[in-house]
Structure formats: C-alpha cells, structure tokens
Amino acid sequence: MSFVRNAWYVAGWSSEFGDDLHALEIIGQSLVLFRDSAGAIKALEDRCPHRLLPLSKGKRIGDTIQCGYHGMTFDGRGTCVRVPGQDNTPQSANVDAFEVEERHGIVWVWMGAPDRADRSLIFDLPEFSDSNWHTHHGGHLHIKSHYLNVAENLVDPAHVSFVHPTTLGNSASEDVPVHVSTSGDVIRAWRWIRNGPPIGFFQKFGGFKGNVDRWHYYDLHLPSTAVIDFGSIDTDLNCPEEERDRGVRIFAIHFVTPVSEDYTIDHWMHLRNTAQGDQAASEQMDAMFNMAFAEDKEILEAVHEAEKRPQRRRPIRIAIDKGPNVYRKRIRDLVAAETTEDLGDPVRPVFIEK
Amino acid sequence: MSFVRNAWYVAGWSSEFGDDLHALEIIGQSLVLFRDSAGAIKALEDRCPHRLLPLSKGKRIGDTIQCGYHGMTFDGRGTCVRVPGQDNTPQSANVDAFEVEERHGIVWVWMGAPDRADRSLIFDLPEFSDSNWHTHHGGHLHIKSHYLNVAENLVDPAHVSFVHPTTLGNSASEDVPVHVSTSGDVIRAWRWIRNGPPIGFFQKFGGFKGNVDRWHYYDLHLPSTAVIDFGSIDTDLNCPEEERDRGVRIFAIHFVTPVSEDYTIDHWMHLRNTAQGDQAASEQMDAMFNMAFAEDKEILEAVHEAEKRPQRRRPIRIAIDKGPNVYRKRIRDLVAAETTEDLGDPVRPVFIEK
Amino acid sequence: MSFVRNAWYVAGWSSEFGDDLHALEIIGQSLVLFRDSAGAIKALEDRCPHRLLPLSKGKRIGDTIQCGYHGMTFDGRGTCVRVPGQDNTPQSANVDAFEVEERHGIVWVWMGAPDRADRSLIFDLPEFSDSNWHTHHGGHLHIKSHYLNVAENLVDPAHVSFVHPTTLGNSASEDVPVHVSTSGDVIRAWRWIRNGPPIGFFQKFGGFKGNVDRWHYYDLHLPSTAVIDFGSIDTDLNCPEEERDRGVRIFAIHFVTPVSEDYTIDHWMHLRNTAQGDQAASEQMDAMFNMAFAEDKEILEAVHEAEKRPQRRRPIRIAIDKGPNVYRKRIRDLVAAETTEDLGDPVRPVFIEK
C-alpha cells in the first residue's frame, strides 16, 4: 500500500457536483458525493452496510440517500435515519462520512482520520485571488498507472525534451542540468534554459521574435499536487530568477488523485499572467495541454504495464532522477509513519464468504 | 464452494434442445446435451478425456458424439465406443453422464451422485396440469452474480418497494412486516398489504377501480427454485388468506441455475388464473417482468462486485432479512453435509502441467 | 516454465523488418528489432533499464534507439551511448542484445546464452536452394494456446482426419496406424494411406484421376520447427517410400514461436516440387492452408482453455499419441537440463515495489 491517507485530495471541480449522486474512488475508498439543499457537498462511504450495494445506485430524498435495494436511508453525516421494516436504527448501520472543502472552484476530500482534517493544510496560491492572474480550469485525465508514476513525472523537468518535443520542450534543453531543493512539504526541481529558441507553446502565446530565457520550476506539494511554473522572456532583458513576472508566465497545476494501485485521475488547470479573459487563448492552451498530457499518458501507462512484469534486474537511477528520488522517499516515510501510528487499518482483508 | 450437488437444476426449456450439441455449465461442471433419435435428452461431461477438447466442439454421429480432435466417440451413457487408431476402448476413456428429466416443457439435470437421482424430488405444481391455469414460459436472464444473491432475492419481499417501484411494488408496502416460515424444503416469506392502491402490474391486468388487498408469498424451494405467488383482490371483498384464488393470482416461477461462483442463469415463467390463452396478455406481462428483472440484475451484479472487494467491516443484518438468513443457513448445512459425506470431490485442484 | 532457452526461434520473415522499431516477445522476453544502416537486423531487450519504458516506444536515431521518456540511447549491441543530463554512461545502463541470423528470408533469434549461439544449429533444408523446388512464404497465425499444444499437433498425423476433413485429411485415414521414430533432434511420425481417394488438397493440385498412395511424414525438429512432408502418387505406380519425389510432394513448414505460456505465433510456409513459379497456385494453396490452420487454431485454443481449469482426473493417452509423447518428454528433458545448468535465471520474480 502506497497511499498517504492523512491528506486532502481533489474530487473534482465544483461544477461537477450537483444534486445527483456522484460516485468516485480515492485511495481505494469508494465515495458517493452530493450537494445538499444548503449547497454543501457531502461525501459518504459508497457502501450500504446491509448488502453492500453502492449508495450511489440509490436515490436522493431531501438531504439523505436511500439505498436502492431495501431503502435504508442515511443523512449527510452518514447516520442511518431509517431501516424499513423495523423501528430502530442500530449504530452499526452508519456509514463513514468524509470532510469536504470547496475552494476556488475545487472540491477537496480529507481521506484520513476525521479529527485531523485541518483545513489550513489545503493547497492554495495567492495568485488564485489576484486580479492580475487569469484562472482557467482545464480538464481531467484518466491514467491507468500508479499515482507515484504520475506525480513523479511532475517533478521531472528532464522528460519534456523527449516526451513533448513539439509543445512543452525542445532539444535545446536536453542536457541542461536540473536543480532540486526541498522546502517543507514542497519538492522543487528547476532549470533555466538561457538564450534558446522559444518552445512551441511560447511561439504561439508569447509573440517572441528572437531567443528567450526559459524557466521550468516544478513544485510538487506532498502528497500529489504539482505547480509547474514555466515561462519565457526575451534573452536581451537578462531577467533575474526572482523577476519571472516580467515575462510570460504560466502556472500549470495538476491535482493528482490516486484511485487505486492501477488507476489515477489528474485534474489539471492553469493560471497565467497574460491574455486575461481571453477565452480563445484558454481553449488553445487546453488543446496544447491535451496533446502534451496524452503523450504523458501513453508513457505512464506503458511504464506501469512494464513494472507489473517480473524483473531480472532492478531499474537503475540516473542524474535527472533527483526530484523523483526525493519525492518517493518522502512518500515512503509518510506511509510508514501512518502505518506505525495505526489509523485503524484502512482495509483489512476480510472477504465475503458464501 | 457453495453449490449443492445432490439436486435437480434447470438446463432450459424443452424447446431449446434439438439435434445440435448444446453446451452449458451448471455448478462449475461443463455439460454437453443433445436430443437422441428416440427424443430423449442426453447430458454428458463436456470434456474429452484425451486432450480435454469440449465434446460440444465435435459432431453428432447417430446417437453418439465424435470428438472434434482425434475422433474418440461416446454414446449417450458416456461410454467410449471408439478410439481411432486402436482396437480397444479403455474404461478410463468414458465420460460422466448425467440424469435428465423433461417435465412440463422444462429440462432438469441431476448434478449429484447418479444413484441418488430421485425423480420424485423434481419440483412440480398441481397448477401445471390444471386447465383453470394458464402456463407461459418467459425468458432467461444471465446474471454476473453468485446464485445465493439471486435466490435470496426471491425470498425477500421487502426489496420490491425499492427496486421495482413502478411494476411489482409501491411505497404502500415499505413498512409492512414480513413473515417467514419453513416447511420441509420450502422457505416461505410473505405479507399482505391491506387496503392500498394496486401496484403497476395489477393496474394493468386486474381492472381494479378502488383499493385492493395485495399478497406476496415467496416460496423458495431448496436449493434454488422460487415460486412467487402474488395477487390482488378488492378490499371490499375482505378475502381470507386461504382464498386467494378468488382474486387475480399469478405464480411467477424462477429456476435459478448456478453456473459458476460468478455467474447465474435465471429461467423465469409464470402461471396465472386470469387471461387464459391470451397471448397479448402474456407478452405484456413478459415485458413488465423483463423490466423488473433488469432492475434486479443491476442490483445483484453490483452487490456481487462489492462483495468481491476486501471489507473493513462485516455486513449487518436487519429485520427483513429473516427469509434470506434462513435460506443461507439451510444451504450451508446442505453443502456441509455433502462435504462430510464425501461424494468424491467434485473438483480436486489437479492442474495440467507442461 | 516450459521454454527451451538455448535455441533459435523465428522472429518473422525478412520482409517484415525495416527501419521501424519492431516489438515482439519470444519465450516471455520482450524484444525490439530494427534493421541498421548496413542492413543487419539488431535485437535488443525491449526495456529501458531506467524507468522500464519499452524501447520500441522510443525512436531510431541513426543506428541507435533513443528511449521515449528521458532520452537514454543504446546502440545495436545494447551499449548505452548517452544518458542526457550526465556525462558518464554506467555499464549497468546497458540492455541485453540477442544474436540474429537471416537465412532464406527467415529471421532467427537466439534466446539462450550468447556464447552458445551456434549458427550451424539453425534449421535448414537442401530444398531451400534447389531450383527444382518452389519456395513460398505463407502467413502467420496467432494462437492463444501453449506452444507445446501447437507443436505437438505437428507431430500428430492422426488429427487431420477429424480436424481437416475437407482439406488435408479424409476418412480413409481414420484407422491407419502411425509410426514414430527419432533421429537426433528430429521426431518423425508418419503413415502411408495406400490405394485411397485423393484428399481435397490433391484433388485440386494433383490432377489425379483414380486412387492414390498418400503419405504424411511429420518431422518435428526440437524445439519447435515442423516439416510436414505430404504428397500423393498414382497407386498404380506402386511407389516405394524413398521415392516420394516422383509424386506430387509438398513440404509444409511451421516455425512455432512461443510468446508466453498462453500465446504462440506460428509462421508457416511451403516448398513444393510442382507448379514452379505459379503464383496463382501459391495463392490457392495459401487459401487452403489458411482454412485448415483456422481449424487447428479453434481446437488448440479450446484445449488451452480447458487445460487451465482444475481437473478431476488426469487426461488419458491413446495409441496415436506416440509422437506427442516422445516430443513432450524430449522438451521436459531439455528444460530440466537447462535448469540444472543454471543459465542465470531467465526471470527471477523481482517485482517493482512502490
């Protein structure tokens, strides 16, 4: 098991959650979500305690869910409020409820111990509330790969030269070394490619005539939110690292949600300091991101398939792996710490016998 | 393993069996069936003892089956009558034969010890031969769920209010208690809903103007044949329980055939004391049953999927589970008894090695 | 594990290998093949040692392959010649290379210990270079069955009467005994059917008017190349066994390539002493072979499915199994010998942990 449980994960954009019952799975836990009459999103274990039918197959009745098999009914806190055919509603009939937070149009669910659900830990950026920045929710990508493969790719600037040669990378960067540093729960991998031709993305959106200085800062926030700060500026302006706002600057954000050991959903969006309110630019960027992320998806699924085969030799690690190496070690440490803390075993192997 | 072996199971309607070789699987046993020149249905193990090719891939030659690989040939008793390329036909070359009985257009196979195949145990009803009753063979439903889930649903009147709200149930019955009794190999769950509006089915076929008394008697015959006696009568007539024939009365019958631990086939038909010989009524009823059983199928497959996942907690049982609880206990007892009797292990885990 | 590793296996026809990267799997080993600028076919392990991406997902750069994820680059000997982002290329970064030989338009790969790759062991026939014989590359068949099932079928003349009654066999041969002998690495099963009607194939291509003597010699060369020498001649000519060239004679050759324990590819071709240079005859023969091999495929896949189920009884063996029995024993001996020799475990069960 490689999931960090005490964490906020993204369930989707706010716009995806309405009156209907919405089923999804995060770190192996089935959830049913709905927006109640007060507008608050509720998240419950998606499993009737009686015959295990997913509650998402039942129906909304006011602010409760009625199971589709025998009508057991649960409120937004997971409390069983009705068992048809009997008067009492035993405590054992309750289902787990999960803390939910909506912020900047993003829906977060806390998958750990309820009493640890600290809302101050939810990922945030000052630029979300800065009118000089344009925010655009992109899409989401379903990837048949382990979330660590997906997330490590987001602290790995080196792959863009080879996986995205026409959009996010080009050969000018192939041998430029990558720096890695960590600060609290953020692992940063970055590099500047000075005095090179603009990549496809900035040929399209930067309006550059000559060579540019280009940067990539990959900030991976534990357990699996990535902010990729990338941009370009005329080489002639000789931009210092800390003055990136003078150039064309994009924050591509990935919310990586582990579904199971074999499946991951990546919700992606971006902020930019250019083309405010320009819907056409947003759509063109989405098209380019979609193309690039489809390239990642193909690689990440092939890697996952390969990892499931028995191996004669251990994989090797190379210099550009610094970011992924640090990231995987931090995750292992978090998982190990949660295991020894005993959060009440997430899934004990009890199976239904006939 | 949860199959009762010493039992008659339904292979299909008589009309499904002709000259062709017909492959099917019951309680994990592959069978090939065909109707011989005298009109009798023969059932053999569907496995050539030589290279294991299913005999159903071979061809009929008179009243024998010739294997499609090397021509080994078997008669209707499973005796090997020819091994091409040699003169003798060793006893070890025989295949198992199974007792078959056709009755009222229904084909039964005995899956247990051959010397125990008692034809008096085959399910029957006096109404099959009663000219006041109309018999109509319906269809069959393939369900990716364990047969115990399918069969327990048929001794569970409580689910109809929630799973079939537009056809077989309505909200009037939601909280009416269910009675359970047993008599020999029959488990009965029943309830009367007095003085309520007719359900969709009887709105269509009963011609009722006002409120009705409605009954559901679910008789589950071990191991897995269910007769659902349901009907309605004007409330004003104040009908006693034993005089149900005065109302509009239907016997919906389900022959639940376990295929494997993950697959079940339900052959369903009905008898009725109304609309004799009315083919249009039969078709309308089939349409309604098809709709209702598709609702069951969706629930039963979702429950089966859920049961295959590891569980953190045991499922709970509630008041309306009385029928299912009794049924599952009876099955467990039958399976345990067969195991200690040693019927000659149905499937010992011997695998082909290369 | 039932694969012979120290052997040459067929990867395909020469015409299938061009500039592109060509992925395939032989005895569980993933390979990437390409033809270099000098025209030589190179075969490498299809796995980047870094993140395990199949190299076949990367791209050709000159005579090297660049991995599609981070650009690690390998030459045709498997030596890593570049690791982007660092100066050194560690020895542990190399991938395995496999010996390749092209001969008569057939591409062979040695899957065993490289120092044992003896090219004199590659299957050959004098008729490949004999102008009296016409050579025609046929097709290839993908079969979801174990290669031992596929290969044993090719030292089993008895099946043709039942599996191929309209093309390669007929009922005249059903009870004619099969002889078996071995000579070095070749197991031969054969029989003559004297004075019978010609089979479908020779009705079409032999121009026979009356009865014929017909022969089948099945030579199975270990581990899995089969030459089926079959033909017919007028019965009146009273042909001795060693003078088969006087009749119409075909060598149908099957190169059976084990892919995995569940998958086999059969490349098939033929040589003939008739209809030289007649392309229409080649196509008609291909059509007939295609029909016959589709019949084999159906049987062999059904047998494989059946073998994967647990068995109550061991399969029996019959008189016509002599060839298959000898063959399977020889393979078992070869595999056992390789195991005790310790070739350096082909696949040790090391799995990637997260």
Side-chain angles (χ1 to χ4, degrees), chain A residues 81-302:
Chain A
V81 295
R82 182 183 175 208
V83 183
Q86 67 189 56
D87 294 328
N88 65 323
T89 54
Q91 177 116 36
S92 64
N94 297 346
V95 298
D96 289 343
F98 295 81
E99 295 295 314
V100 178
E101 175 84 6
E102 260 182 294
R103 198 178 287 181
H104 313 302
I106 304 159
V107 179
W108 298 86
V109 183
W110 176 259
M111 297 306 297
D115 58 347
R116 300 249 204 118
D118 179 351
R119 283 158 209 274
S120 74
L121 298 175
I122 293 177
F123 169 81
D124 213 333
L125 275 181
E127 287 81 358
F128 276 130
S129 319
D130 181 337
S131 64
N132 292 318
W133 285 77
H134 182 93
T135 301
H136 176 71
H137 289 134
H140 48 83
L141 197 68
H142 288 237
I143 306 172
K144 290 182 193 118
S145 191
H146 195 279
Y147 87 95
L148 290 177
N149 293 338
V150 178
E152 101 172 357
N153 180 268
L154 297 166
V155 69
D156 166 21
H159 82 277
V160 299
S161 313
F162 302 97
V163 179
H164 313 300
T166 64
T167 50
L168 306 180
N170 65 17
S171 61
S173 54
E174 288 187 2
D175 285 305
V176 179
V178 170
H179 308 280
V180 172
S181 62
T182 63
S183 164
D185 278 350
V186 182
I187 301 156
R188 165 171 292 189
W190 83 98
R191 60 180 175 178
W192 281 74
I193 297 101
R194 299 280 184 180
N195 195 13
I199 58 173
F201 194 93
F202 290 114
Q203 284 170 21
K204 201 164 176 89
F205 298 110
F208 295 107
K209 303 228 159 46
N211 273 4
V212 296
D213 289 351
R214 169 160 60 100
W215 67 85
H216 281 98
Y217 288 79
Y218 284 66
D219 282 1
L220 184 49
H221 298 244
L222 291 174
S224 55
T225 294
V227 182
I228 301 172
D229 167 1
F230 70 108
S232 292
I233 188 166
D234 269 339
T235 296
D236 298 341
L237 295 177
N238 203 15
C239 179
E241 296 191 359
E242 63 277 17
E243 295 180 16
R244 304 196 285 281
D245 269 342
R246 291 168 51 201
V248 177
R249 190 176 184 190
I250 316 268
F251 291 160
I253 309 185
H254 294 263
F255 303 108
V256 175
T257 305
V259 174
S260 69
E261 298 278 345
D262 294 304
Y263 206 96
T264 299
I265 299 177
D266 175 12
H267 280 84
W268 51 271
M269 60 178 295
H270 78 264
L271 291 85
R272 62 181 188 253
N273 70 354
T274 184
Q276 266 95 337
D278 180 345
Q279 181 61 18
S282 295
E283 284 170 16
Q284 287 168 351
M285 289 186 189
D286 276 359
M288 222 169 216
F289 282 128
N290 267 317
M291 181 180 159
F293 301 157
E295 291 165 340
D296 284 317
K297 175 180 162 82
E298 186 184 345
I299 299 285
L300 296 170
E301 294 187 345

Side-chain angles (χ1 to χ4, degrees), chain A residues 5-140:
Chain A
R5 291 178 63 216
N6 276 317
W8 293 95
Y9 290 102
V10 165
W13 311 129
S14 288
S15 56
E16 297 177 65
F17 295 87
D19 288 341
D20 290 341
L21 299 175
H22 184 115
L24 55 82
E25 183 176 335
I26 301 180
I27 64 168
Q29 170 70 57
S30 299
L31 300 175
V32 54
L33 290 91
F34 65 98
R35 197 179 287 279
D36 72 11
S37 54
I41 296 179
K42 300 298 180 183
L44 302 180
E45 189 185 359
D46 193 18
R47 169 196 188 267
C48 180
H50 174 222
R51 292 294 286 115
L52 311 186
L53 187 73
L55 294 178
S56 55
K57 299 237 172 225
K59 65 179 181 187
R60 278 287 298 279
I61 295 190
D63 286 346
T64 67
I65 303 181
Q66 183 187 70
C67 177
Y69 202 173
H70 298 93
M72 281 179 64
T73 305
F74 306 86
D75 69 16
R77 285 182 306 271
T79 306
C80 179
V81 295
R82 182 183 175 208
V83 183
Q86 67 189 56
D87 294 328
N88 65 323
T89 54
Q91 177 116 36
S92 64
N94 297 346
V95 298
D96 289 343
F98 295 81
E99 295 295 314
V100 178
E101 175 84 6
E102 260 182 294
R103 198 178 287 181
H104 313 302
I106 304 159
V107 179
W108 298 86
V109 183
W110 176 259
M111 297 306 297
D115 58 347
R116 300 249 204 118
D118 179 351
R119 283 158 209 274
S120 74
L121 298 175
I122 293 177
F123 169 81
D124 213 333
L125 275 181
E127 287 81 358
F128 276 130
S129 319
D130 181 337
S131 64
N132 292 318
W133 285 77
H134 182 93
T135 301
H136 176 71
H137 289 134
H140 48 83

Side-chain angles (χ1 to χ4, degrees), chain B residues 169-182:
Chain B
N170 65 17
S171 61
S173 54
E174 287 187 3
D175 284 305
V176 179
V178 170
H179 307 279
V180 173
S181 62
T182 64

Side-chain angles (χ1 to χ4, degrees), chain C residues 296-315:
Chain C
D296 285 316
K297 176 182 161 81
E298 186 185 345
I299 299 286
L300 296 170
E301 294 187 345
V303 164
H304 187 66
E305 275 306 303
E307 288 185 334
K308 289 199 287 190
R309 299 175 65 129
Q311 309 292 326
R312 270 183 300 163
R313 294 183 289 269
R314 302 211 164 274

Side-chain angles (χ1 to χ4, degrees), chain C residues 7 17 35 43 64-65 73 107-108 125 130 133 146 152 193 210 236 247-248 261 304 308 313 319 326:
Chain C
F17 295 88
R35 198 179 283 282
T64 67
I65 303 181
T73 306
V107 179
W108 298 87
L125 277 180
D130 181 338
W133 285 77
H146 196 278
E152 103 172 354
I193 297 100
D236 297 342
V248 179
E261 298 279 345
H304 187 66
K308 289 199 287 190
R313 294 183 289 269
V326 171

Side-chain angles (χ1 to χ4, degrees), chain B residues 45 51 70 82 346 354, chain C residues 152 156 174 307 312-313:
Chain B
E45 188 186 359
R51 291 294 285 116
H70 298 93
R82 181 181 177 210
K354 290 293 172 187
Chain C
E152 103 172 354
D156 167 21
E174 288 188 2
E307 288 185 334
R312 270 183 300 163
R313 294 183 289 269

